Amino acid sequence: DVKVTQSSRYLVKRTGEKVFLECVQDMDHENMFWYRQDPGLGLRLIYFSYDVKMKEKGDIPEGYSVSREKKERFSLILESASTNQTSMYLCASSSVETPLHFGNGTRLTVT
Amino acid sequence: LAKTTQPISMDSYEGQEVNITCSHNNIATNDYITWYQQFPSQGPRFIIQGYKTKVTNEVASLFIPADRKSSTLSLPRVSLSDTAVYYCLVGGSSGSQGNLIFGKGTKLSVKP
C-alpha cells in the first residue's frame, strides 16, 4: 500500500521564519504535489514535480518554493512565513498507472 | 482544464443509496472523471475513476452518460462512516492528475 508521509502533523511558526514541510513517499512515484486546503476554498495546488530536480508552479505558488533532490522526497519551503499561510498543507504522489495518494496533512499555524 | 460543478452538501440516512452528480460541460476528449473522498483531518482518498458508461468497484459505482457532460457517483447503502467530503475531478488519467482542480466538493452527512 502506498504511503505518503508528512513529517509533522501540527506546526506552529512565527511570522518571518523560514519553514520547511517535508514529504516522503515509498512507492517510487514519479510525480509529487503540494496543496493547501482552506475552509470554503477547497484544495489548491501550490507546486508539483514530475521528476527529480524538476518543478512546476501550480495555481498559488507565490510565497512558496519547493525542492526535489531525491525521487522519494518533496519539500515545500515558506521563505518568510506570513499569517495568511496558516493552512492545512497536503502532499500527494502518483505515477502513470496510479491516481493521487495523499498524506494526512500538516496543519501549519503562523503567529 | 475542465471545471466541475457539484452540490455543496447532501444529507442522507443510513442504509440509503446516495447519488452525487457532477457537471463538467467542457470535458475534453481525453479527460477521465475521478472521485475522491476526504474525512476530516485526513488527505483525500481515491474512490473510483471512469471514462464512459459505468464503472463499479467494491465501494461505489460511477455512471457517465454518452455525452460525458456529467457523471454520478453512487454509494450503495451508506453508513455513518461515509460522512465525508466527495470531490469530482476531470482531467488526465492517473499520473497526469496533479494539476486537476479539486473545487469545494460535496459534503455528505449520513444520519442514523
Side-chain angles (χ1 to χ4, degrees):
Chain A
D1 205 20
V2 177
K3 195 161 188 180
V4 178
T5 303
Q6 296 184 228
S7 54
S8 303
R9 200 82 165 95
Y10 300 95
L11 212 52
V12 180
K13 296 291 180 180
R14 294 191 180 276
T15 301
E17 278 193 77
K18 190 168 185 176
V19 181
F20 293 86
L21 302 182
E22 306 287 347
C23 175
V24 177
Q25 50 95 3
D26 64 359
M27 283 301 292
D28 202 36
H29 283 171
E30 300 86 20
N31 313 315
M32 296 189 74
F33 314 90
W34 275 106
Y35 296 84
R36 65 177 282 178
Q37 185 171 31
D38 301 288
L41 296 177
L43 277 80
R44 293 179 291 168
L45 182 63
I46 305 171
Y47 267 98
F48 58 102
S49 168
Y50 286 143
D51 201 352
V52 175
K53 295 193 184 295
M54 293 184 67
K55 61 184 179 183
E56 298 283 344
K57 292 181 180 179
D59 299 321
I60 51 165
E62 296 79 18
Y64 303 94
S65 61
V66 290
S67 172
R68 193 164 181 205
E69 296 296 318
K70 294 184 178 181
K71 191 174 185 180
E72 68 270 19
R73 187 180 297 269
F74 194 35
S75 303
L76 180 69
I77 304 156
L78 286 66
E79 296 290 341
S80 177
S82 63
T83 54
N84 63 12
Q85 292 178 311
T86 290
S87 185
M88 169 70 88
Y89 289 88
L90 289 159
C91 174
S93 72
S94 73
S95 71
V96 172
E97 299 172 343
T98 65
L100 292 166
H101 287 79
F102 284 85
N104 280 331
T106 296
R107 188 167 292 281
L108 172 68
T109 301
V110 182
T111 61
Chain B
L1 295 172
K3 186 180 175 185
T4 60
T5 302
Q6 50 184 125
I8 296 294
S9 64
M10 292 182 72
D11 291 331
S12 182
Y13 290 94
E14 280 191 294
Q16 287 187 332
E17 178 184 76
V18 170
N19 296 309
I20 306 174
T21 297
C22 179
S23 297
H24 27 80
N25 291 319
N26 58 342
I27 187 169
T29 304
N30 295 330
D31 284 344
Y32 282 72
I33 300 153
T34 312
W35 286 80
Y36 285 81
Q37 174 192 55
Q38 186 178 24
F39 298 113
S41 300
Q42 293 186 23
R45 184 175 68 108
F46 172 83
I47 302 176
I48 197 166
Q49 183 181 76
Y51 184 79
K52 61 180 178 181
T53 62
K54 177 184 173 183
V55 179
T56 298
N57 62 21
E58 62 276 8
V59 297
S61 295
L62 178 59
F63 298 93
I64 305 167
D67 66 6
R68 304 203 324 126
K69 293 184 183 299
S70 67
S71 59
T72 299
L73 174 73
S74 181
L75 305 171
R77 296 180 299 282
V78 294
S79 63
L80 296 176
S81 63
D82 291 316
T83 294
V85 178
Y86 292 83
Y87 295 96
C88 165
L89 280 73
V90 171
S93 63
S94 297
S96 57
Q97 291 183 335
N99 56 348
L100 298 183
I101 299 172
F102 265 81
K104 299 177 185 178
T106 297
K107 186 173 183 179
L108 174 64
S109 298
V110 180
K111 302 172 184 177

